[in-house]
Amino acid sequence: MLFRSYFVSPSPGLLNRTNIAGFVADTQFSPNRGFYDAPFDLTIRCSTPGASIIYTTNGSAPSLTNGIVVAAPGPDAAPVATIAIRTTSKVRATAVKAGFEPANVDTHSYLFPADVLRQPNSIPGYPAGWSGASADYAMDQRVVTNAAYAGEMKSMLRSIPSISIVMQHDDLWSASRGIYYSPENLGDAWERPCSVEVINGDNSTLVQVEAGIRIWGTGWRPHTSSLKHALQLKFKSRYGEDRKSTRLNSS
């Protein structure tokens, strides 16, 4: 009887490490990331029989200990997850199976321009401000509702590529470890993992890559200098692809 197995990490000159039976297929999202004007149901599939899909909608990376699990209906069937998308949403998913190497984490952002234009200034779970100054999350309604621009605002949001950064909420906003909450802290200890998507107005994807992110700048890092801080992306192999292998993909 032929039995095939794989070793994820080589160990030359040493005892073989734990082997796996195979690799779980990548998750497939339908529809793809992009801009939408009406609610829809998102379908996530994995072609590996007996696998389970794990997904999140809060920005955190799904894993065996985090996320909503959708198991295959049987050992010979493939799993399918369905998610109702009703407003701007970020969905991250992986697929797992016992004895197999799990799929990588896929991230898809779904952007509703009409809802972006109406985003409130106060959002539950987000800081109300820093250092005595109030946070400002809303688009300026003096512009959004101005008769000269109101009819073109949604198309303007799609006129240039958009960057969607998806990450663990507390990594950005927490008072204890959030990089935006504490912008004056420097170095690797204040770099956080994230997903980066660059999406064209026609819903084609320029790039999706895992990266690191940190606050960037010098004298205006304090909240007292500016509430709007610059962000720097760090493409390193520990996140997935380094800067040499990261390429724009027009597909």
Side-chain angles (χ1 to χ4, degrees):
M1 179 178 180
L2 177 63
F3 176 77
R4 177 180 293 174
S5 63
Y6 303 86
F7 298 97
V8 178
S9 301
S11 54
L14 302 173
L15 292 175
N16 288 332
R17 298 174 182 175
T18 303
N19 63 301
I20 59 172
F23 300 83
V24 179
D26 195 21
T27 53
Q28 301 297 320
F29 287 59
S30 180
N32 199 15
R33 63 177 65 85
F35 294 88
Y36 292 88
D37 295 315
F40 61 91
D41 288 339
L42 168 66
T43 301
I44 306 176
R45 301 180 184 274
C46 172
S47 61
T48 301
S52 294
I53 292 171
I54 307 175
Y55 72 87
T56 64
T57 57
N58 63 359
S60 63
S63 67
L64 290 172
T65 58
N66 180 57
I68 298 171
V69 180
V70 179
D76 299 320
V80 180
T82 302
I83 307 169
I85 304 296
R86 299 294 179 259
T87 186
T88 295
S89 304
K90 63 273 186 188
V91 182
R92 310 187 78 180
T94 185
V96 300
K97 182 178 180 179
F100 283 65
E101 180 74 4
N104 67 319
V105 174
D106 289 323
T107 304
H108 284 239
S109 294
Y110 299 95
L111 312 174
F112 285 62
D115 294 339
V116 171
L117 296 175
R118 294 192 298 265
Q119 180 170 292
N121 192 46
S122 178
I123 304 176
Y126 286 72
W130 310 271
S131 302
S134 298
D136 185 358
Y137 300 108
M139 292 191 66
D140 192 331
Q141 293 302 300
R142 293 172 299 176
V143 177
V144 172
T145 61
N146 189 297
Y149 314 114
E152 303 177 19
M153 290 301 298
K154 289 199 292 184
S155 61
M156 287 178 179
L157 290 177
R158 303 181 67 161
S159 63
I160 58 174
S162 293
I163 299 176
S164 176
I165 296 174
V166 180
M167 56 190 292
Q168 172 71 40
H169 182 276
D170 286 351
D171 282 351
L172 195 62
W173 303 113
S174 168
S176 61
R177 71 171 192 268
I179 60 172
Y180 210 88
Y181 201 98
S182 304
E184 295 179 71
N185 292 327
L186 305 173
D188 287 348
W190 289 90
E191 181 177 306
R192 302 289 182 261
C194 68
S195 163
V196 183
E197 299 162 87
V198 184
I199 307 170
N200 281 323
D202 62 1
N203 283 2
S204 59
T205 301
L206 278 172
V207 68
Q208 189 284 316
V209 65
E210 302 299 311
I213 189 169
R214 61 173 72 179
I215 300 295
W216 186 247
T218 52
W220 36 268
R221 295 178 74 100
H223 296 313
T224 51
S225 298
S226 174
L227 289 179
K228 188 174 183 179
H229 304 296
L231 299 169
Q232 181 188 41
L233 297 174
K234 308 289 282 188
F235 300 102
K236 300 177 180 179
S237 58
R238 70 169 177 262
Y239 299 117
E241 298 182 33
D242 59 26
R243 65 179 181 177
K244 293 182 180 179
S245 58
T246 300
R247 295 290 183 269
L248 294 182
N249 181 0
S250 59
S251 63

